[in-house]
């Protein structure tokens, strides 16, 4: 399980957060084989429990396959049904800008969204490659949301 998981669970243990929701069905980039018997969310839940987070404080979201899915399924399966409007999103530092954009687009102004990033142990070279890919993905996501909006001018 990644540094993101550790950071998220550290926030839960030290702050006023009541529920944690690990998200994701697969995590190739997190070192989890796509054919693994556990989802990324379940692996994070098990890790949280090993750190002393009670099972009752964890709600899994195991449908999402990407950041857009993380935001959508978190909203539709966890936040909206519970009438919760405040969320802390913890992600990798190199992924923060795109996650911020996506969660704000999908959740909208009815939600108070905070973001926190986890540090990484990547080499400078690998970090620069990821940042470059993230910028490209962010541009694609922005275009996708623009084209998907039937009310655009």
């Amino acid at each position: 399980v990644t540094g993101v998981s550790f950071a998220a669970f550290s926030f839960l243990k030290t702050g006023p957060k009541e529920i944690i929701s690990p998200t994701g069905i697969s995590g190739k980039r997190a070192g989890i084989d796509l054919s693994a018997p556990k989802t990324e969310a379940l692996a994070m839940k098990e890790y949280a429990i090993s750190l002393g987070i009670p099972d009752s404080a964890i709600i899994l979201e195991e449908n999402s396959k990407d950041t857009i899915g993380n935001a959508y399924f978190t909203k539709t399966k966890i936040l909206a049904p519970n009438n919760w409007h405040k969320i802390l999103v913890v992600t990798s530092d190199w992924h923060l800008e795109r996650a911020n954009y996506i969660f704000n687009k999908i959740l909208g102004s009815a939600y108070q969204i905070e973001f926190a990033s986890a540090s990484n142990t990547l080499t400078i070279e690998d970090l620069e490659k990821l940042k470059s890919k993230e910028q490209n993905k962010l541009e694609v996501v922005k275009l996708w949301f623009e084209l998907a909006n039937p009310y655009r001018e």
Side-chain angles (χ1 to χ4, degrees):
V1 179
T2 67
V4 173
S5 301
F6 180 77
F9 306 140
S10 295
F11 282 114
L12 183 65
K13 290 181 84 167
T14 60
K17 314 302 178 245
E18 296 177 8
I19 299 292
I20 191 162
S21 178
T23 65
I25 192 169
S26 64
K28 181 172 65 173
R29 69 195 168 285
I32 300 171
D33 184 345
L34 292 175
S35 62
K38 286 183 192 176
T39 63
E40 190 174 35
L42 181 57
M44 287 189 282
K45 176 182 179 176
E46 290 173 352
Y47 182 61
I49 290 170
S50 79
L51 295 175
I53 306 295
D55 183 71
S56 61
I58 304 168
I59 300 173
L60 290 183
E61 182 284 292
E62 297 181 287
N63 299 103
S64 60
K65 296 180 181 178
D66 55 28
T67 308
I68 293 173
N70 293 146
Y72 175 79
F73 289 116
T74 296
K75 179 180 182 178
T76 60
K77 292 186 174 276
I78 297 168
L79 299 174
N82 289 291
N83 200 29
W84 295 337
H85 294 275
K86 188 173 181 180
I87 181 174
L88 170 65
V89 177
V90 181
T91 190
S92 304
D93 51 1
W94 48 266
H95 181 55
L96 192 60
E97 186 178 0
R98 185 163 59 99
N100 186 324
Y101 180 84
I102 290 170
F103 271 81
N104 275 291
K105 280 291 192 183
I106 291 177
L107 270 61
S109 61
Y111 291 87
Q112 181 182 345
I113 311 167
E114 294 180 47
F115 293 88
S117 65
S119 59
N120 65 71
T121 58
L122 299 169
T123 65
I124 292 172
E125 182 180 321
D126 286 343
L127 182 57
E128 291 305 315
K129 286 179 185 175
L130 277 175
K131 285 181 178 180
S132 177
K133 285 181 182 179
E134 277 296 301
Q135 280 302 313
N136 292 336
K137 289 178 180 180
L138 178 58
E139 293 308 314
V140 169
V141 165
K142 285 180 176 180
L143 179 60
W144 184 83
F145 274 105
E146 182 182 320
L147 294 173
N149 181 0
Y151 303 106
R152 71 182 186 279
E153 295 180 21

